[in-house]
Structures are given as structure tokens and as C-alpha cells.
Amino acid sequence: MELHDIWFVLIAVLWIGYFFLEGFDFGIGVLTKLLARNRVEKRVLINTIGPVWDGNEVWLLTAGGATFAAFPEWYATLFSGFYLPLLIILICLIVRGVAFEYRAKRPEERWQTNWEHAIFWTSLIPAVMWGVAFGNITRGVKIDAHKEYVGSFGDLLNPYAILGGLVTLTLFTFHGAVFAALKTVGDIRMRARKMALGLGLVTAVLALGFLLWTQADQGDGKSLVAMIVAVVALLGAIGAIKAGREGWSFALSGITIAAAVAMLFLTLFPNVMPSSLNEEWSLTVTNASSSPYTLKIMTWCAVIAAPVVMLYQGWTYWVFRKRIGTQHIAPDPAH
């Protein structure tokens, strides 16, 4: 296996890590309106991800940086062609971070309500947009002989990509509901279980349609295995949450995300961005990669830095592993 193949796999792993971790806190953000009945319950949900949400975004920064360094042609075409949707995601992530930090800075109800609206919308929009973006990357976009995207924003809003966006939205929200059940106590935990069950069934229908479409269009034996793992894990997650086994359900919903993302990358390889205009114009791991020397230096850096980052983030989750409930929330100064 060549270094550019290894880095394709590593970038896939980074995206799996990002969607696994950021997926549930996007889901929590959406659930602040769907699950929480009052401000105290919203604070409970926000506090479940309070210590970890910013660390989860490190995976996105690392995935973007690795793509820039390992596959500069892929990075250039992706970020120029998908400029508007990626800009929308970036703005949402910035506003979302500000909302988490500033929501409790003032006691006025209107101030806090506005930031809570921001948390909801800046969680929902990226959850959809990531599915649309990866749907287009997998399906192929209009890339010309100069490796430039020549389509429009409207071209990205095709049925396959929109279905992908609905899948990521429902899957992340289901993942978040399971996490909420895992991290809370009392009535909110029971309602999170019930909501997760309903969301899981909707997700199963949408995800099965999207994965079957992907497999039929460009899949092979390896992607079929990944698809089966994703479907079985999702059904297992639904069964586990119905049985009240939140830990197993969360692990299985995470495996669902990992297997689904792995399937997309398996159908993509050896391309990194297929051209829908001419197969010969597609960006591949070969024609889009950096020099072997650059990839070699990056590999050594990853070997040294990656374990440290993963150990630190794992320690963070361990420290903040306890459940919380409304009884743990201090009285709101707004009241």
C-alpha cells in the first residue's frame, strides 16, 4: 500500500471520528427544542456536551488539515466548488460555539432564548449540509479537465444528496437522543429513550434507502459488507434502546455511523472526487496527492501526535462520565 492510500484511509478515519463525536452533540443541539420541555431541561442537555463539544470539533480541523497537506488538489477543488455550503457550515459552527459560551453570560430571558434558538439551528443546518456534501462527493460532481468544479450550487441539491442530508440529520439526532438517555437521569432520560426509539425507526428507513442507492450505483463487495454492518448495527441500537441498554445502543449507533462513512469512502476509492463529466477527469489518490516526501513527514507527525490527542480526549470523557439531571442544575438567575 502506497503512502497516498494510507492517507486516504487516515482521512476516512478522521471523518468517522468527527461524525461519531460531533454527531451526538449536533443531535443534542437539535433536541434542545424537540426533547426539552423547559429551560432547566435545555440546560441539562447542553451540560451533557458542555465539556466535550469543542474537543469534538478538533477532528474536523484535523481532517481538513490532513486533506490540505496530503491531497492539495482534492482540498482546492472541494473548498472552491463547495464554497457556499462549506461557508454555511463554518458560520454555523462559529455561531454555535459563541452560543454555548455566551448563553449564560446574562440573566435576561430574551438573551438566553435567542442563543438557544441559535444552538438549535446551528446544530440542525450542519447536520443536513454534511450529508449533502458527502452525497455529492460520493456521487460525483462536474469537474473539468483542469480539475476545477464547473457546476453551480443548485447542482449540489440533487435527490441523492438531499436524501443523504436527511439521513445525517436523523442519524445524528438519534445518536444524540441515545447519548441524552445515557447521560441523564429522571424523566428526561425516559423521554429521551422514547424519542430515540421513534427517531431510530425513521433513520432506519431513510438510511436503508440511501445505502441501497449507493450500493446499487457504485458499490462492490467491500462496500456491501460495510452496508450490512451499518444496517445491523442500527437495528441493534434501536433494539438496545428499547430494552433500556443506553450504553450498548450508543456504541451500536456509533458503529452505524462508522460503517456508513466507511461505505462511502470504499465506494469512492481510488477516487477522491469523481467527475460526472468524464471519468478521466476525476481526482484520484494518485493525481491529487502531495509528494511522497511530504506524506512521509506527515506520517511521522501523525504517529507521534495522534495517540496523545486521543488519550487526552478519552481522559476528558472519563472525567465527565457521570449522569446529570434537573436536580443538578442551579436556579436560573433569570427567574
Side-chain angles (χ1 to χ4, degrees):
M1 182 179 285
E2 300 290 336
L3 279 177
H4 51 64
D5 297 329
I6 292 174
W7 272 97
F8 179 84
V9 174
L10 290 176
I11 288 171
V13 170
L14 289 171
W15 281 110
I16 288 171
Y18 174 66
F19 287 138
F20 179 95
L21 297 172
E22 189 84 313
F24 71 74
D25 67 42
F26 280 149
I28 290 293
V30 174
L31 290 171
T32 56
K33 280 194 178 295
L34 302 183
L35 178 62
R37 291 177 173 174
N38 52 52
R39 174 146 296 136
V40 174
E41 291 190 351
K42 288 181 180 180
R43 292 172 65 189
V44 169
L45 291 177
I46 292 171
N47 284 353
T48 62
I49 60 172
V52 298
W53 69 266
D54 48 355
N56 295 343
E57 293 185 354
V58 170
W59 289 78
L60 172 63
L61 299 175
T62 308
T67 304
F68 172 77
F71 299 99
E73 293 284 358
W74 182 13
Y75 182 92
T77 304
L78 175 64
F79 278 77
S80 60
F82 290 30
Y83 178 82
L84 183 55
L86 292 178
L87 177 62
I88 292 172
I89 291 173
L90 177 61
I91 292 173
C92 285
L93 294 180
I94 292 172
V95 174
R96 186 168 177 267
V98 173
F100 281 133
E101 297 295 336
Y102 277 75
R103 177 195 165 278
K105 294 296 183 182
R106 287 169 55 179
E108 292 87 349
E109 183 173 350
R110 182 176 179 181
W111 170 272
Q112 295 189 2
T113 299
N114 288 338
W115 286 121
E116 288 164 1
H117 289 322
I119 290 171
F120 171 77
W121 287 109
T122 57
S123 297
L124 184 147
I125 293 172
V128 174
M129 297 300 288
W130 280 126
V132 172
F134 271 83
N136 279 290
I137 292 172
T138 306
R139 172 178 172 268
V141 292
K142 295 179 179 179
I143 299 175
D144 65 13
H146 303 290
K147 301 178 182 177
E148 296 180 358
Y149 176 72
V150 293
S152 64
F153 177 70
D155 292 328
L156 302 178
L157 301 178
N158 55 80
Y160 176 78
I162 292 173
L163 178 58
L166 293 175
V167 170
T168 50
L169 173 61
T170 54
L171 180 56
F172 290 168
T173 309
F174 168 68
H175 196 41
V178 174
F179 183 77
L182 179 64
K183 289 286 293 178
T184 59
V185 295
D187 181 59
I188 192 170
R189 178 188 178 189
M190 297 299 105
R191 285 188 281 112
R193 280 187 191 174
K194 184 177 180 180
M195 182 164 287
L197 184 60
L199 286 167
L201 295 174
V202 174
T203 302
V205 173
L206 294 174
L208 183 60
F210 179 75
L211 296 178
L212 285 173
W213 190 345
T214 303
Q215 180 65 25
D217 191 39
Q218 50 201 326
D220 57 14
K222 294 178 181 178
S223 62
L224 178 61
V225 172
M227 184 190 79
I228 293 172
V229 171
V231 172
V232 171
L234 179 55
L235 295 176
I238 296 170
I241 197 64
K242 184 177 181 181
R245 303 297 297 273
E246 296 105 338
W248 279 105
S249 183
F250 182 71
L252 288 167
S253 65
I255 291 173
T256 302
I257 293 172
V261 176
M263 180 188 178
L264 296 183
F265 276 90
L266 285 168
T267 60
L268 197 56
F269 187 82
N271 294 322
V272 292
M273 280 191 78
S275 172
S276 60
L277 300 178
N278 188 326
E279 289 186 5
E280 295 182 357
W281 297 344
S282 297
L283 298 178
T284 68
V285 293
T286 304
N287 66 23
S289 69
S290 294
S291 68
Y293 182 70
T294 300
L295 295 177
K296 185 176 181 180
I297 293 175
M298 289 177 60
T299 302
W300 280 109
C301 292
V303 168
I304 295 170
V308 176
V309 174
M310 294 179 71
L311 285 171
Y312 175 77
Q313 192 164 23
W315 175 79
T316 303
Y317 276 90
W318 175 256
V319 169
F320 295 101
R321 66 189 182 277
K322 292 184 178 180
R323 295 176 181 268
I324 62 172
T326 54
Q327 67 271 27
H328 301 117
I329 302 298
D332 194 329
H335 302 289

